[in-house]
Structure formats: structure tokens, C-alpha cells
Amino acid sequence: MTSVPIPVSAGEDVEAPLTWGQRKIQRELLAYPDDRYLAFLLVAIPVIGSTVDEIIGALSFVLNESESLRTIYPGADRQRVLGSPGYALELTEGGTTESAHADMMSTRFGPTDLPVRLALVLRDGAPQEIAAVLTHMAVDGIALEFFTSRVADVLAGDTSPWQAWQPRQLAEAQRSPEGLARNARTLAWWEAKYRSAPAAVFPTPVATPGDPRYVEGRMVSFDAATALRTLTHRTRVSPSMVALAGLCAILGEHSGQPRIAVSSLSANRSSAQTLRMMGTLSQDALIVVDTDKPFDDLAAQIWESATSAYTHSTVDPDEQQLVREKVDADRGSPFLRDTVYNDVSSPSIFGQPTPPHTSAIGTTTITMEPSEFMFVSAYATVFRMDSTFEVSLWADTAYLPEEVVVDLLKAWERVLITAAN
């Protein structure tokens, strides 16, 4: 393996406070060191037809441009943007992107490690794919797509300015009088939500966890995709929220609770300054709904609750934690944040075309795989909602045995089809 330097020179080092999103991720990384889903974000960028020098030039451009890709974290609530970070590209001949990712994930990111690890997979000396591993402190899911598309665009010759704040500008805005006043209003919203939410969707573990302890079921359904289009047209609710309505319906039925709370991941880019920000804005949108109602009414309630939740998802995480602990003490039981929803199905958000697929005809498939630790009980991900409905349900078998995961995925499909009909 050969290491080639990537020239990056952006002036002097600069220090600033953390953004709220950075502080939330930093706290979670410290609290849950075994959560590899949280620790590593992976990307593969096809580069067939480009030379090694062209690839180094594109990476140099993007690393110079985006401060979060040059930032380390030397102390509590501090970020340091490095002017000359000393990046290098590892050239791997004859290997695979998967093996390159595995090598780069063999060591966790430390607070003062460079936030991006880069390798170039070659075949007979010709570049095939850039393999990159990024820390969640540098990017969230949306910014990961920005990184991917930006490198590809620069390789194609597009070097038009990237119009967005850098994270330290956002940190300054969050600490301004206007930012602090907005935060106070948001904290009041969170207190009301915590008081209305049940403590957990899965408050009681099963007798014995399975082996493996963590599993992930993945479902591909053509019929659910057809149902989703019908429901979206009829309810005038977005596909993502219709899918979430189906999930909440089955979780309410399974748990026996008429009201449930689901944390939907939010990378809130609601302003012109943050719309294309390369950084981590990852925070929660807490959606609290009553599930014992007809599906169309549930979808409408989900839409209303989600609109408010995403609006109030940007908040100081330390002060938010104090509010949560206050409500926990008053209620006598902690809010567990045990169920998470994550929709990653919209390539159009990033300017990418929808991936091609066959016509919407086929059988439903469900596959189960062993997985790794996450600090929740259930984590639902939506991958596609175009010609297919492709979703996964990760579970801690201490709360959801493997056979229950399969049943819940089947029920998710069934509730959408039944509502559409």
C-alpha cells in the first residue's frame, strides 16, 4: 500500500465553540463507544476514467473548501479548524472498497484525529473507487451525500462556489441573542413533549435475549410501494410520513400502548445558511402520536406532529438533557428514547437521480442478518419508496426477538396495503 499526500493549505488554524449538533454527537460518541453505526460513516465514490492526480486534486479542493473536514476537537466544547491538516490518500492495488473500509474502521476516531480517512482502490494501476470513512463529528447523513456529490462534481470540472455556512459560523449564530431566545422557546416545546410522551415504546425486556443479541431485518415490497403512492395521493401527506404512520400503527398495536413516541433523525437545514452546510446538524425530532385511530387520521396527526417536531429539532443538547431529567424526576421514570426512525430514501435532496429499478411487480422478500450494538431498542430505516418499499428494522433482541422483527416487517407492509384498499 502506498500513501500519497493530499495538499491542503487553508491558512492559520482557527478555534471556535462546538455547534449544538456537534456537541450532541460528541456526547453520544463518548457515552456509547461500541456503537459503530454512530462512530463511522462510509462512502464509496466511483472514479473510473479519472487519473490519480485528478483524484488528488479533487479531494484537495473539497478538503480546502469545507472546514468540517479539517476539524479536530482538542477540548470540551472546542473545535479547531486546521489550516494544513496533512491529509494522505492510501493507494490500494487489487483490493476491494469493502476491505479498504474495514481497514480504515479498525481504529476509532480520537478527538484529535483527522475526521476523514481516504483510500483509492486501483485495478492494474487504474483508479476504480474512492473509499472514505468519516467521523460523525464531521458530517451527518445529508452532508455525507454532499461530500460524495461534491467530489464527483469537482472531478467533472464543476468548481462553482459552495454556498453555505461553515460550522463555526453556525456556532456563533446559536450563541447570539436571537439564537439563545429561540433556544429558550424550543426548550419549552421539548418539556411539553417529554411530559406528553410515554417513557418507552418497549418498556419491558423479554426474558432472554437472542444469539446474536442484535439483528437487522430488511424488507423489499413492491405491493407496499404501490399502496404508499395511493395513500400519499389520498391523504396529501408525504410518503415518508405515511411510512412512519404505518410504523407507528404496528408499534402501537405490538406494545399495547395507545400513545407512542418515536425519535426521527433530523439534520435540520431549514435556513439558506445551513441548506448545504457540510457538517453535522444531527439532532432529534420527537414525534408523539395516538395510534388508536383510522389510518388517514393517524397520517394527518403524524404530519402535524412531525412538522412541529422538525421545526423544534435544533436545540442546545445540554440544556435539553436538563429538561428531560426534570420531567423524568417529576414522572418517576426516565424517558428512554428507545425507538428511532430514519428516512434516507430521497436522492433528489442531493441532486442525484433516482436509481433505476424494475417495474413494480414482484414478491416481498425479508432477510435477516446479525448486526452490532446501537443504543436503542429498535431502529427503522427507509431506503427506498419509489418502485419498491425497501426498509430495515434493527432490533435489540432483549426487546424484540428475531421472529417478532419478521412479524413487524410483515405487519408494516400489511397495514399500508390494507389502508390503501
Side-chain angles (χ1 to χ4, degrees):
M1 183 179 295
T2 304
S3 179
V4 180
I6 302 173
V8 180
S9 182
E12 300 294 322
D13 294 358
V14 181
E15 286 206 7
L18 298 182
T19 67
W20 293 336
Q22 287 171 328
R23 204 184 320 149
K24 175 180 180 289
I25 295 297
Q26 182 184 65
R27 187 173 63 197
E28 291 175 350
L29 286 168
L30 291 171
Y32 305 101
D34 296 328
D35 191 333
R36 291 171 64 83
Y37 291 95
L38 181 68
F40 300 109
L41 292 172
L42 315 182
V43 70
I45 307 172
V47 289
I48 294 174
S50 299
T51 67
V52 173
D53 286 345
E54 288 170 340
I55 292 163
I56 291 172
L59 291 172
S60 174
F61 184 94
V62 175
L63 292 168
N64 268 288
E65 177 181 63
S66 298
E67 290 186 358
S68 72
L69 307 179
R70 298 185 275 110
T71 299
I72 61 173
Y73 307 91
D77 200 33
R78 300 302 296 173
Q79 58 177 309
R80 179 182 299 155
V81 183
L82 302 179
S84 301
Y87 268 108
L89 179 65
E90 301 293 335
L91 305 183
T92 304
E93 174 63 54
T96 65
T97 301
E98 292 75 16
S99 63
H101 279 151
D103 288 343
M104 290 187 284
M105 293 187 338
S106 62
T107 304
R108 291 178 55 83
F109 286 99
T112 58
D113 290 342
L114 293 178
V116 189
R117 295 169 183 165
L118 294 158
L120 178 61
V121 178
L122 305 140
R123 185 170 299 121
D124 298 326
Q128 301 296 304
E129 211 162 33
I130 296 170
V133 176
L134 294 86
T135 172
H136 212 322
M137 292 291 291
V139 292
D140 53 25
I142 292 177
L144 187 69
E145 296 289 346
F146 289 162
F147 173 77
T148 304
S149 61
R150 189 59 169 158
V151 172
D153 288 346
V154 173
L155 277 171
D158 180 3
T159 57
S160 54
W162 187 261
Q163 301 293 333
W165 272 353
Q166 304 285 6
R168 59 192 176 95
Q169 293 173 284
L170 178 59
E172 181 180 355
Q174 289 173 340
R175 286 161 174 78
S176 69
E178 295 82 3
L180 294 175
R182 188 180 305 112
N183 185 60
R185 295 191 297 270
T186 303
L187 288 169
W189 182 93
W190 275 95
E191 179 170 355
K193 277 298 171 189
Y194 282 138
R195 293 193 183 281
S196 70
V201 177
F202 307 104
T204 307
V206 298
T208 305
D211 184 18
R213 170 72 182 265
Y214 309 109
V215 297
E216 184 170 21
R218 191 153 181 152
M219 177 174 71
V220 176
S221 170
F222 294 90
D223 290 343
T226 302
L228 203 61
R229 287 192 292 274
T230 299
L231 291 166
T232 299
H233 178 75
R234 188 177 78 211
T235 63
R236 299 188 181 277
V237 172
S238 74
S240 181
M241 292 300 101
V242 171
L244 179 57
L247 178 66
C248 288
I250 64 170
L251 292 179
E253 181 180 0
H254 174 79
S255 67
Q257 299 183 91
R259 173 174 290 181
I260 64 169
V262 174
S263 296
S264 181
L265 297 190
S266 170
N268 195 332
R269 286 166 165 79
S270 57
S271 69
Q273 294 86 358
T274 60
L275 182 63
R276 289 159 62 85
M277 197 183 96
M278 188 80 77
T280 188
L281 278 71
S282 292
Q283 297 194 264
D284 281 350
L286 184 61
I287 299 171
V288 182
V289 291
D290 299 314
T291 60
D292 54 347
K293 52 174 50 96
F295 188 90
D296 287 23
D297 294 341
L298 176 59
Q301 187 190 11
I302 292 269
W303 178 257
E304 181 180 354
S305 180
T307 301
S308 179
Y310 289 119
T311 301
H312 294 91
S313 62
T314 301
V315 65
D316 183 316
D318 294 337
E319 295 187 13
Q320 179 189 23
Q321 179 64 25
L322 293 176
V323 167
R324 179 170 159 179
E325 291 171 355
K326 173 187 172 184
V327 175
D328 288 349
D330 292 345
R331 179 168 49 194
S333 60
F335 176 78
L336 295 183
R337 188 196 180 267
D338 66 341
T339 304
V340 173
Y341 175 76
N342 190 19
D343 177 8
V344 297
S345 68
S346 299
S348 60
I349 292 174
F350 317 115
Q352 304 299 312
T354 300
H357 208 284
T358 56
S359 59
I361 301 172
T363 58
T364 298
T365 60
I366 296 177
T367 57
M368 296 295 302
E369 297 287 344
S371 194
E372 298 184 33
F373 169 82
M374 283 198 280
F375 62 100
V376 293
S377 301
Y379 190 112
T381 304
V382 178
F383 296 99
R384 294 188 65 169
M385 292 187 290
D386 45 16
S387 58
T388 64
F389 184 58
E390 185 174 349
V391 297
S392 75
L393 181 59
W394 177 98
D396 179 348
T397 60
Y399 294 88
L400 288 176
E402 184 170 332
E403 62 273 15
V404 175
V405 174
V406 174
D407 289 343
L408 286 173
L409 286 169
K410 291 178 180 178
W412 197 354
E413 176 191 52
R414 185 173 61 251
V415 76
L416 294 174
I417 293 171
T418 301
N421 292 334

